[in-house]
Each structure stands twice: as structure tokens, then as C-alpha cells.
Amino acid sequence: MSFKFLTRLVSAAAIGFAAMTATASAQTYPDRPVRLVVPFAAGGSTDIVARIIAAKMSEILKQQVIVENRAGAGGNAGAAAVARSAPDGYTVLMGTVATHAINPALYVKMPYDPVKDFAPVSLLVNVPNVIVVNPSLNVKTVKELIDLLKANPDKYDYASSGIGTPLHLSGALFESMSGTKMVHVPYKGAGPALLDVVGGQVKIMFDNLPSSIGQIRKGGVIGLAVTTKERSPAAPEIPTVAESGLPGYETYSWNAIFAPAGTPQAYIDILAKAGAEAVADPAVKARLADLSAVAVGSTPAQLADHVKAEIAKWGPVVKASGASVNE
């Protein structure tokens, strides 16, 4: 028996053993709790969505999926912590449009690469934004708003939850696509911003639909249009921006699971399947719908494509807005 033949035989055996080990490991994964890091404070929309889905995934995986809030730096602190975690399938991130598309263009120094440092698992939900205005503005459609703004450049303010947030940049994208000019008024959160729009101190806001839907129904603000391609099942009476005066406009928030780069594909597939099953569950879907969140449950490959498209979309918007965070 030649030395070359023996070498090939040993190599083949090693590969076979590694494959058998990986298969056996996948059959037992997960055998302890999985930590789902939410990079924002408890009580926010991302946290609420994460807890609803985590509870169902715990049932499916037969192991606890424990939500851990790790807020800071617009989501960067929690995302960076996951990127640095062991790629063993037991620490994953509930990522968003902020952590994986906006922040890389907004922050001068990023503690992670949104593509290279993560393994996509599943896009779980999309959450529409909505354009709301104070009734005193006397506009009821997007076209009327655009006409008013074009006739009065830089006269009207719009509120957002802060500089560089998805809501701020939704307004910036609107200005860019409609050829209008407004004055951005950043707040420390969407709640106080909406209160000032209801009170009339600021006339316009780009908000998450779940945050504004109550005031829209009470008449505190007028919901001109949702920002997704299709109308929201939670408020089907509100048209889309695209159908009501600005074709091609689309923004929304989203929540997706990411694992650290290098996590075994078998583990990623198990998590993706559990996430998709969780958001497809009728009870979970109904609870998400109450929050105006639309269930998706994508494959890892679909999430990878989604992130690349979102980075390409939001990078130029951030640059055009002039927003920058030096941290």
C-alpha cells in the first residue's frame, strides 16, 4: 500500500468523521438555551416583536430562547457583542434596518461589518411606517402635501425619533424623491415627537405605524399614507405613498435574526426553520398584526439579498441627509 494512498485514505476518513460529527451535532442542537440579543431598550417595538417570536421558537426548538436587551449606540453595542460571540448557535441577534443598513453609513466608526461579521438567518417581520400630519395642516393626501411643500420650501417642520434614525431618513428620502424641502426636528424618541405633532408644535411626522395608529383612529393626526409597497392589513383604509402621489417610494422597519459569522450552516438552517414556523403560527401572526407587523419568515439566502439591497438603498440617503455620528 503506497504512502500516497494511505494519505488519501486518512484524509477521506477525516472528512467523513467531520461530516458525521456535524450531522450528530445538528441532530442535538440546540441542547441548551439560545440567547436572542435585542440591541435596543425593553418595551420598544423590536423588543416586543422579539419576545412574541422567541416564546414560540422556544416551543418549536424545545429549548428556551431568552431575550436579552443590550441597548446603546443606536443598536451598535448589542450587534457588536453578537458579532464577537462564539459562532456556536447559542447567541444570535435581532437585527434591524438600523443595525444592518443605516448605521454603517451613519456612524464614522463601526464596531462591526454588517455583511462579513454576520451569518443571515431569517427576515421575520416588516413594520410599515406612516406619514402623519396635524389636521390644521389642511392636507389629506400625499399629493396635497407635496404641492404645499413645493410652494413653501423650508417653511414646514417634520418630526422624527432622532438624527439618523429610520424615521428621520424616511423623511429625507421623501424630500429627495419629491423635490421638496422641510426642516427636520429630531426628538429623543418617537413618543414625544408624536405628542408634539398631535399638539400642533410640529405639523408633519414619519412614524412607525404601530406608534401612530391610535392617534390616527382618534383623529389626533391624519394618516396620509403608509410607506410600504402594499397597504397594511392593520389599516387597509390608508393608501400607500406610491399609490397616492409618489411612485417608487418605499420604506419600512424590519426585524431579522443574525448569527455570528462562522456559525455552522446546519444550526442556521434549524434557527431559520424555527423562526419561519414561529411567524407562520396563526396566534403569533395575529399578535404581530395587532402591532402592524407583517410576518415574512425568509430563508437565510433571501435575508442576505435583502441586507445587500437595503445597504445600497440607505447609504446614499444617509449621505444626502448630511447625518453623521462620530462615536
Side-chain angles (χ1 to χ4, degrees), residues 127-315:
V127 180
N129 296 330
V130 62
I131 303 175
V132 297
V133 298
N134 185 278
S136 66
L137 197 62
N138 292 319
V139 298
K140 293 184 178 179
T141 67
V142 170
K143 186 178 185 307
E144 289 178 358
L145 176 62
I146 291 173
D147 289 344
L148 177 68
L149 295 175
K150 282 186 174 180
N152 301 275
D154 286 323
K155 178 180 178 180
Y156 292 98
D157 301 336
Y158 79 94
S160 84
S161 52
I163 294 174
T165 61
L167 302 181
H168 167 206
L169 296 173
S170 291
L173 181 63
F174 182 88
E175 289 181 287
S176 174
M177 292 184 65
S178 64
T180 56
K181 290 287 185 181
M182 297 180 284
V183 178
H184 175 229
V185 181
Y187 285 76
K188 292 183 177 179
L194 181 61
L195 285 177
D196 271 8
V197 177
V198 173
Q201 289 88 342
V202 183
K203 302 294 186 182
I204 305 162
M205 182 177 178
F206 294 75
D207 195 12
N208 292 133
L209 181 58
S211 302
S212 284
I213 192 67
Q215 286 293 346
I216 292 171
R217 288 171 177 162
K218 288 193 298 186
V221 294
I222 296 172
L224 295 186
V226 294
T227 62
T228 41
K229 276 185 180 179
E230 299 177 354
R231 296 191 182 201
S232 168
E237 72 281 5
I238 302 177
T240 68
V241 175
E243 73 181 276
S244 56
L246 194 58
Y249 181 91
E250 181 186 18
T251 73
Y252 52 88
S253 297
W254 47 264
N255 298 125
I257 293 179
F258 296 86
T263 300
Q265 188 62 44
Y267 297 177
I268 291 169
D269 291 341
I270 289 169
L271 290 170
K273 185 173 182 290
E277 287 182 11
V279 297
D281 177 80
V284 171
K285 188 177 284 189
R287 290 189 67 190
L288 292 172
D290 287 341
L291 298 171
S292 305
V294 180
V296 181
S298 79
T299 65
Q302 288 169 335
L303 175 55
D305 290 342
H306 176 75
V307 169
K308 289 176 183 176
E310 287 285 273
I311 290 172
K313 173 182 179 178
W314 286 110

